[in-house]
Amino acid sequence: MANIAFIGLGHMGSGMAANLVKVGHKVRAFDVSEAAMARAEADGCIRAANIGAAVDGADAVVTMLPAGQHVAQVYANEVFGAARREMVLIDCSTIDVATAKQVGSDAANLGLTMVDAPVSGGTGGAQAATLTFMVGGSEAGFVLARPILEGMGKAIIHAGGPGMGQAAKICNNMILGATMVATAEAFVLAQKLGLDTQTFFDISSKSSGQSFSMTSFCPVPGPVPASPANRDYAGGFGAALMLKDLKLAVGAAAGVGASVPMGSQAEALFQIFNGLGGGNKDFSAIIKLLDGSWQD
Ligand code: NAD
């Protein structure tokens, strides 16, 4: 079993670090939040005084941080100085492709092995160790990262070279955001046309309109008991995180000249919804913007 430094113990990182402990790894954890540190300690992690102390002598470093600037700063200012060539550096945060490529290239220039390995599966997947990891980096990096990621997920896929994990993640989530908007507006239209919601679900979920947005995160209460719509859109995948991922996708598209009209439209709608105070609700609550029932 490995010595692992785990940096960033928030909604996702806390469950992921706890799962690494459960499968027998020794996990030295660090977060700037004392509450996060206390929870990690209760889950069996070893409290590190700072990032350098967590990384020193580790076999692997896992980071799960909010955004690109945090990842760039943590690696440049703290991880790289304490890292050694034998260890693998694994960034699981969702960040922009350009920063992922830059940090990966900085690592390579220092003789270090780094992969970007963003996840799909949300906090439920983080807790249940059922995440999907999309890994960007060298084959050697993938081989080193895989046994660590296996303690936290069920599917570990090599997406390509540096940054390609992030590319897969934002393209996937652009589909998710756009299909949720399409699904939500179809349910609103069905209701206004006088079609029973459950009946429409029963038909469309077995027809060509079916999608993950419909069958796992159905935006209307009733048809899918586990969907956040049944608990006033609490929990799930926050609309603020969806906006973040759509911005990353649309920004990346602009950088390479790709046309993403559906992704751009979804971004614009989630921007409005976040501006109206919906950011903490599950992203399926976008239906309340579309049917005019949203009240902050
Ligand atoms: P979060 O804000 O709950 O956790 C981030 C943690 O990083 C916090 O505990 C924060 O204190 C810590 N942190 C920030 N700067 C730090 C620093 N310099 N050193 C040490 N710790 C630092 O966020 P989250 O929901 O856990 O998401 C983490 C990443 O995973 C994000 O990139 C997000 O987009 C991605 N993601 C989230 C979900 C989800 O459902 N929450 C799903 C998939 C991917």
Side-chain angles (χ1 to χ4, degrees):
M1 285 294 122
N3 287 314
I4 301 172
F6 203 111
I7 320 298
L9 304 150
H11 291 102
M12 295 294 289
S14 55
M16 294 164 70
N19 285 327
L20 290 173
V21 172
K22 276 185 203 153
V23 294
H25 295 299
K26 195 169 147 191
V27 179
R28 283 200 301 261
F30 181 77
D31 193 292
V32 290
S33 151
E34 172 50 33
M37 289 290 275
R39 186 175 45 195
E41 211 170 18
D43 287 338
C45 297
I46 301 159
R47 183 184 276 263
N50 51 51
I51 293 177
V55 173
D56 188 30
D59 303 305
V61 176
V62 181
T63 47
M64 195 53 166
L65 296 163
Q69 75 263 26
H70 306 93
V71 172
Q73 281 167 14
V74 161
Y75 277 90
N77 300 341
E78 303 185 74
V79 174
F80 287 156
R84 57 195 175 97
R85 285 170 181 253
E86 298 74 29
M87 64 175 63
V88 60
L89 311 177
I90 307 170
D91 178 39
C92 295
S93 328
T94 301
I95 67 170
D96 58 289
V97 177
T99 300
K101 283 184 174 173
Q102 184 61 52
V103 179
S105 144
D106 292 345
N109 290 337
L110 293 165
L112 301 168
T113 304
M114 178 163 186
V115 296
D116 49 288
V119 307
S120 180
T123 51
Q127 275 158 22
T130 56
L131 293 170
T132 294
F133 286 92
M134 315 158 200
V135 186
S138 65
E139 180 64 31
F142 180 68
V143 167
L144 283 173
R146 181 179 214 137
I148 309 293
L149 299 177
E150 278 170 350
M152 303 183 282
K154 62 172 179 15
I156 295 127
I157 301 160
H158 193 186
M164 291 305 105
Q166 298 296 347
K169 167 76 184 176
I170 59 173
C171 290
N172 179 75
N173 278 24
M174 189 173 75
I175 295 173
L176 180 64
T179 55
M180 179 54 79
V181 172
T183 303
E185 68 186 19
F187 271 98
V188 173
L189 175 61
Q191 280 168 347
K192 286 189 186 295
L193 291 172
L195 179 56
D196 176 69
T197 294
Q198 181 68 50
T199 304
F200 174 55
F201 176 86
D202 292 342
I203 293 167
S204 194
S205 64
K206 291 177 186 59
S207 302
S208 45
Q210 185 273 340
S211 71
F212 180 86
S213 291
M214 178 180 288
T215 55
S216 292
F217 278 77
C218 187
V220 291
V224 177
S227 83
N230 296 291
R231 40 181 203 275
D232 194 26
Y233 304 92
F237 183 55
L241 282 173
M242 175 49 82
L243 177 61
K244 172 194 167 183
D245 291 356
L246 287 167
K247 281 180 180 294
L248 290 174
V250 172
V256 295
S259 171
V260 289
M262 299 299 288
S264 299
Q265 189 61 44
E267 181 205 4
L269 288 166
F270 277 99
Q271 181 77 61
I272 293 167
F273 188 54
N274 275 261
L276 293 172
N280 288 330
K281 293 289 186 185
D282 178 71
F283 77 119
S284 61
I286 194 77
I287 194 169
K288 294 176 87 63
L289 179 72
L290 299 169
D291 70 8
S293 68
W294 173 253
Q295 285 179 331
D296 187 17

